[in-house]
Amino acid sequence: MRPIINEIINIIPTMSHEERTTIIENLKSIDSYDKIIDIIENHIESTNKCPYCGSNHLHKHGKSAGLERYMCQSCKKTFNALTNTPLTGMRKKELWLPYMQAMLDSKVLRKIKETININFKTAFYWRHKFSRLLYKDRPEVLNGIVEVDETYFRTSCKGNKILDKPPHKRGIHKAAKRGLSKDQVCVLVATDRGNHFLEFITGLGAVNGNWLDKYFLNHISIDSILVTDGHKSYVHFCNENHITHKVVKNHRNSTENNSYHIQNVNSYHSRIKSWIISVFHGVATKYLNHYLWWKHVLEDKVIKDSTTLFQTMIMSSHS
């Protein structure tokens, strides 16, 4: 053991609680930074290709900002593991893992600012920067019995400085018009019995058959059984694409096969709404997709810690 380490150990008992806390926090930051660098570097070693031309003829070319730099022997460009990814240029890598944990804990920006040494604007910027990387961590295709139903959120301009309509108090409020209207954002959720979920924002007002044909068809296998509430758009969609369709009007009084229901998707609706409204008191419509992707990850039982979450983001950033 080096003499300086013995000196530090001897000084620790004489330190105040605040001084010890500072040392502990700094050691945690160093450990967090090293973990982040290892995850980033391990990923590029596994892909081993140039982000510009795709060549795998690479040579190490020094270091910058803690990351190994490489030179491509084909196009002669230099890069590191984060080049051409959404994480390019982001600083304070030692705080990324604590921030990931804050996301897993569904902490609001005020709480993040109090527990992590970043300002409010950075906390907000990171939330949406990282959330965008969660989009690709979703199943491509649903199979078997697929439940589909939509839920609605009132349009929100939360955070905007200039509004084109009178502001309203935060939280859940009824839309200005009765029934479905352009005041409501449609969120379609689909799930199969393998507990795979997909979430989509279809637009303002009710979902329509054209949207289903254009965006939803590629996400379900043709031999699936679609279970819905019988909305005419789903009827049209299934007829046009020759998909088996089961309509559930009132499952409690139904005498049909009990495996045909939309209870799972409605339960997910409830969890999404409760999370967005109770935790965040509603979110701006322009960022709603980010929160849907974030909630999707929170529902994933495989992602249990900040390290796994960051590994998921890194894989998404390079795909």
Side-chain angles (χ1 to χ4, degrees):
M1 196 179 293
R2 290 185 296 174
I4 190 170
I5 295 178
N6 287 326
E7 291 179 23
I8 293 172
I9 292 173
N10 291 331
I11 292 172
I12 288 175
T14 66
M15 291 181 177
S16 66
H17 174 72
E18 185 178 347
E19 289 171 333
R20 292 179 192 175
T21 301
T22 301
I23 289 177
I24 291 170
E25 291 303 319
N26 275 277
L27 289 174
K28 285 181 179 178
S29 288
I30 293 170
D31 184 52
S32 175
Y33 182 84
D34 289 342
K35 283 183 180 178
I36 286 288
I37 296 298
D38 285 344
I39 292 170
I40 295 170
E41 297 289 17
N42 287 339
H43 186 75
I44 194 169
E45 287 175 8
S46 65
T47 55
N48 193 37
K49 64 180 181 179
C50 172
Y52 297 106
C53 69
S55 170
N56 57 5
H57 297 293
L58 313 177
H59 284 288
K60 291 185 177 181
H61 195 69
K63 283 195 172 185
S64 178
L67 291 173
E68 190 75 53
R69 288 198 67 80
Y70 298 86
M71 174 176 278
C72 175
Q73 297 303 295
S74 298
C75 67
K76 303 302 181 184
K77 292 184 177 179
T78 60
F79 60 91
N80 64 29
L82 296 181
T83 299
N84 284 357
T85 75
L87 300 178
T88 302
M90 285 184 64
R91 300 179 180 179
K92 297 182 179 289
K93 294 182 182 67
E94 68 278 6
L95 300 180
W96 289 6
L97 285 183
Y99 194 93
M100 302 289 164
Q101 189 57 52
M103 291 187 73
L104 290 174
D105 295 337
S106 298
K107 286 188 178 179
V108 297
L109 296 177
R110 178 175 51 82
K111 289 292 184 182
I112 291 175
K113 181 177 177 294
E114 291 173 1
T115 56
I116 302 176
N117 187 28
I118 54 176
N119 62 39
F120 190 88
K121 286 185 177 180
T122 300
F124 179 82
Y125 173 75
W126 281 12
R127 169 182 287 182
H128 297 291
K129 195 79 167 177
F130 289 136
S131 294
R132 282 196 292 270
L133 289 174
L134 300 175
Y135 169 71
K136 293 180 181 178
D137 184 44
R138 312 191 311 163
E140 289 294 325
V141 178
L142 302 179
N143 299 281
I145 298 175
V146 179
E147 300 175 33
V148 183
D149 199 15
E150 67 277 3
T151 189
Y152 295 87
F153 291 84
R154 184 177 178 181
T155 54
S156 171
C157 299
K158 184 178 180 181
N160 285 15
K161 301 297 183 183
I162 301 174
L163 302 176
D164 57 2
K165 58 183 178 181
H168 60 76
K169 293 182 180 180
R170 70 184 185 181
I172 188 166
H173 288 265
K174 293 180 180 179
K177 301 175 183 178
R178 294 184 62 185
L180 297 181
S181 69
K182 298 300 182 182
D183 287 332
Q184 294 171 299
V185 183
C186 178
V187 175
L188 181 144
V189 175
T191 177
D192 61 21
R193 297 302 160 81
N195 203 32
H196 302 123
F197 286 88
L198 286 172
E199 313 87 352
F200 306 91
I201 293 179
T202 72
L204 301 178
V207 64
N208 63 71
N210 289 334
W211 184 93
L212 293 170
D213 289 334
K214 187 174 182 180
Y215 296 104
F216 186 57
L217 182 59
N218 293 333
H219 291 284
I220 61 169
S221 60
I222 263 332
D223 58 350
S224 296
I225 299 174
L226 209 66
V227 186
T228 76
D229 61 2
H231 190 283
K232 62 182 181 180
S233 295
Y234 299 123
V235 175
H236 167 82
F237 172 72
C238 291
N239 289 339
E240 287 292 314
N241 297 289
H242 308 291
I243 296 172
T244 304
H245 187 203
K246 296 291 182 179
V247 175
V248 178
K249 290 292 185 182
N250 185 342
H251 182 68
R252 290 183 181 179
N253 299 328
S254 175
T255 58
E256 289 192 34
N257 189 334
N258 287 337
S259 61
Y260 300 136
H261 59 78
I262 53 175
Q263 294 174 6
N264 295 317
V265 76
N266 285 337
S267 175
Y268 193 44
H269 284 170
S270 178
R271 296 197 298 276
I272 291 173
K273 283 204 161 184
S274 175
W275 183 69
I276 286 178
I277 294 167
S278 299
V279 177
F280 303 106
H281 304 288
V283 300
T285 298
K286 64 181 177 181
Y287 295 125
L288 180 56
N289 247 337
H290 295 176
Y291 289 87
L292 294 177
W293 303 333
W294 181 1
K295 180 59 175 171
H296 184 103
V297 166
L298 295 181
E299 294 281 325
D300 190 342
K301 301 298 188 292
V302 176
I303 298 178
K304 298 178 179 178
D305 55 53
S306 56
T307 302
T308 308
L309 179 58
F310 185 65
Q311 288 171 334
T312 301
M313 290 181 178
I314 282 293
M315 287 188 288
S316 294
S317 70
H318 286 84
S319 59

